[in-house]
Amino acid sequence: EILAAIGYLDSGHVVEVDRAKMVSPYQGATPKLVDRLCDKAMGGILFVDEAYTLAPINQTGERDQQGAQALEKLMKRMEDDRGKFVCIVAGYRMEMDNLFRINPGFRSRFNYFLNIDDYSPSELYKIMLTFADDKKYILSPKAQDKVMAVINDLYEHRDKNFANGRAMRQLFDSICKLQAERLQKNDLKMLSNDELMTIEEDDVPY
């Protein structure tokens, strides 16, 4: 929308795709699929998620004919239609570096490279609190300390698949489940609204 507002793009629409949408199970049909997606993205943005799955050589070292066809057609459209749409490819840093190493021509099609670091533990904690606030939950002081301990532990032991915001949502869902199990042991009619909406230390899985 910003790029459209400043006149860089004709429209602010985004076409989000991945390998499943770009590669056809039928021989020779993959380039046509990519053509249609690029046509759809004209004047906007084509966002290719997990773009490294299109590498001409897959992770087992075998030739990926379909992925190679999709990549070659995408490169051609990026060159032929330069300035008519924006192409953003995304993926894990190591896998993307490997894709660009295997196909230097693909790397040369891009002007900007952005590495997005994981959120810090304090930022992750703020994200977790937004989930709680949205549902009107309150965390007791001890629950806050325990949540922070959980987040620090998740952060210290994270790998390349660490999901950042999604990990916080999963943590919040687990907390809600434990809180519900704890409350069910009581007569809910006897509990105040604050008691029903407060997350206690025992509700935090750690």
Side-chain angles (χ1 to χ4, degrees):
E1 291 174 351
I2 292 172
L3 293 177
I6 64 175
Y8 189 79
L9 291 174
D10 292 336
S11 68
H13 75 290
V14 178
V15 178
E16 183 175 347
V17 301
D18 55 17
R19 179 188 171 89
K21 293 181 180 178
M22 297 181 72
V23 170
S24 172
Y26 305 107
Q27 191 65 30
T30 291
K32 296 177 182 178
L33 267 182
V34 177
D35 262 335
R36 284 199 292 269
L37 292 170
C38 290
D39 289 342
K40 191 176 179 182
M42 283 295 119
I45 294 173
L46 179 67
F47 181 88
V48 185
D49 198 16
E50 297 183 332
Y52 53 84
T53 58
L54 299 174
I57 300 174
N58 61 31
Q59 294 179 341
T60 62
E62 299 173 343
R63 176 80 177 168
D64 182 356
Q65 190 65 36
Q66 296 290 68
Q69 286 182 6
L71 207 58
E72 288 165 8
K73 173 54 73 170
L74 179 59
M75 288 169 58
K76 187 175 189 309
R77 288 299 301 266
M78 289 172 68
E79 191 64 37
D80 293 347
D81 297 303
R82 180 175 290 275
K84 295 180 181 179
F85 73 105
V86 169
C87 182
I88 300 174
V89 293
Y92 294 120
R93 174 69 180 269
M94 187 181 299
E95 284 83 350
M96 292 301 291
D97 284 343
N98 183 57
L99 170 61
F100 289 136
R101 179 183 58 79
I102 293 173
N103 196 324
F106 189 51
R107 184 186 184 94
S108 68
R109 298 298 197 281
F110 296 92
N111 301 328
Y112 302 100
F113 298 84
L114 174 65
N115 183 59
I116 302 175
D117 292 323
D118 288 327
Y119 287 114
S120 68
S122 60
E123 290 169 330
L124 291 169
Y125 179 69
K126 290 177 181 177
I127 293 172
M128 228 291 301
L129 288 183
T130 62
F131 289 118
D133 290 342
D134 287 345
K135 297 292 185 181
K136 309 300 182 187
Y137 280 100
I138 303 168
L139 276 72
S140 71
K142 288 186 177 180
Q144 292 178 29
D145 292 340
K146 197 172 181 183
V147 166
M148 197 67 226
V150 173
I151 292 173
N152 279 318
D153 193 56
L154 287 171
Y155 185 83
E156 289 299 322
H157 295 90
R158 75 192 189 284
D159 58 18
K160 69 180 184 67
N161 297 312
F162 182 62
N164 286 283
R166 187 165 69 249
M168 294 303 97
R169 177 175 54 76
Q170 291 169 344
L171 173 60
F172 178 67
D173 289 344
S174 297
I175 289 172
C176 289
K177 182 180 178 181
L178 287 179
Q179 194 242 20
E181 291 174 355
R182 173 175 60 81
L183 292 177
Q184 286 173 2
K185 298 175 183 177
N186 302 279
D187 183 353
L188 299 183
K189 294 180 181 179
M190 300 300 293
L191 299 177
S192 67
N193 189 60
D194 283 348
E195 288 174 315
L196 290 171
M197 300 309 295
T198 297
I199 293 171
E200 301 290 354
E201 181 181 14
D202 290 342
D203 302 329
V204 183
Y206 187 49

